[in-house]
Amino acid sequence: MLSRLSRPRALAVCALPVVGLLAAAALVPLPFALTQPGMTANVLGENKGEPVITISGAPTRDTTGQLRMTTIEATGPDVDVSLGDLLDSWFRTDRAVMPKDAVYPGGKSTDEIEEYNTEQMRESQDAASEAALNYLDLDPAEVKVDLELADVGGPSAGLLFSLGIVDKLDGDGTGGDLTGGRTIAGTGTIDAEGKIGPVGGVALKTQAAHRDGATVFLVPEAECSDAQAELPKGLRLIPVTTLKTTVDSLIALESGKGKVPSC
């Protein structure tokens, strides 16, 4: 026989399973990764004592300004994220919560993921070099480009690598720097034809760029709204789609002539 509970007692009894579930969820690992702004590196300079871009077979020019590729840092694939960790990051503007499978390929070990990211970086470097040399009408059989960036994986530095090669070989085409002496940061994949693709994590990358002195951020056009979400004050967004239009935008920014697109 069931007796009828008063409303306060009924609420109290009903709350017990909820409290128990929340307590259990706080301890159970969740399939998410926590991300934050990562390191940036000036592709026109050195990284860990080694030049990022080395070119042989063609004269290079001294450059001023910086072209900074940007990264995000994420909890490792083997790191357990609890409900408390997730809630803490959820309400912070300098953190983001992402599905673990969106950060790391599913079903792979840590070593396999590192190998995958290294291969993605290598392919990105090859495409970036080819795109830059194609843009400058230079023969890759005669001009050799070596790209080195320690402890960074994935394809998202492709655009900045290409711009760095163009700046070292040709600048703005009239003897000036492609950067105009500024610190310019950005992100984006690139293919051999110079087409720029989206990468993810741009809201965190804008914060990394601003932290390291950038005043301009190059963002794949499809990710403009994401970049605007937590845009630091004083950081100008320039949407990009191809290597050629990106170079044109930077030249227009430097010269003050022509249109510079905006998000």
Side-chain angles (χ1 to χ4, degrees):
M1 180 177 179
L2 295 175
S3 62
R4 184 175 180 182
L5 296 176
S6 66
R7 180 175 176 80
R9 284 190 64 194
L11 290 176
V13 171
C14 291
L16 287 176
V18 176
V19 171
L21 286 173
L22 289 175
L27 300 175
V28 173
L30 300 173
F32 295 99
L34 308 181
T35 58
Q36 64 184 27
M39 57 83 75
T40 73
N42 176 24
V43 300
L44 296 175
E46 295 185 348
N47 177 245
K48 296 193 173 181
E50 297 292 332
V52 177
I53 300 174
T54 303
I55 300 173
S56 58
T60 57
R61 50 188 303 281
D62 293 331
T63 60
T64 63
Q66 298 183 23
L67 287 168
R68 302 197 75 88
M69 56 78 62
T70 55
T71 68
I72 61 172
E73 295 177 358
T75 50
D78 296 329
V79 174
D80 292 334
V81 174
S82 69
L83 179 61
D85 297 327
L86 188 150
L87 291 176
D88 177 63
S89 295
W90 195 273
F91 294 103
R92 294 177 59 170
T93 59
D94 61 343
R95 299 286 190 275
V97 178
M98 299 177 67
K100 189 171 287 188
D101 285 347
V103 180
Y104 301 108
K108 294 184 181 292
S109 67
T110 300
D111 288 343
E112 288 173 329
I113 289 170
E114 289 180 358
E115 183 178 344
Y116 173 82
N117 284 336
T118 299
E119 178 62 17
Q120 288 278 294
M121 171 61 84
R122 187 193 65 76
E123 292 177 359
S124 172
Q125 291 173 336
D126 290 345
S129 298
E130 191 172 350
L133 295 180
N134 285 341
Y135 170 79
L136 296 171
D137 292 324
L138 294 174
D139 187 346
E142 297 178 3
V143 180
K144 302 295 182 183
V145 179
D146 182 53
L147 300 171
E148 295 289 341
L149 193 59
D151 302 326
V152 178
S156 66
L159 169 61
L160 273 294
F161 283 141
S162 288
L163 291 173
I165 296 166
V166 171
D167 203 11
K168 282 183 171 288
L169 287 170
D170 193 52
D172 66 358
T174 63
D177 292 306
L178 192 57
T179 63
R182 297 176 175 84
T183 296
I184 294 173
T187 190
T189 63
I190 199 165
D191 64 20
E193 286 70 45
K195 184 179 179 180
I196 297 165
V199 292
V202 294
L204 295 176
K205 290 179 179 180
T206 60
Q207 294 182 48
H210 183 259
R211 177 199 66 207
D212 291 350
T215 57
V216 175
F217 191 88
L218 307 173
V219 59
E221 186 176 57
E223 296 180 297
C224 264
S225 60
D226 291 341
Q228 289 174 313
E230 300 292 345
L231 186 66
K233 185 177 180 180
L235 187 64
R236 178 175 183 174
L237 291 178
I238 297 180
V240 293
T241 56
T242 68
L243 178 59
K244 182 183 185 305
T245 57
T246 303
V247 171
D248 290 344
S249 293
L250 291 179
I251 291 173
L253 182 67
E254 174 194 359
S255 66
K257 300 176 182 177
K259 183 180 179 180
V260 181
S262 60
C263 287

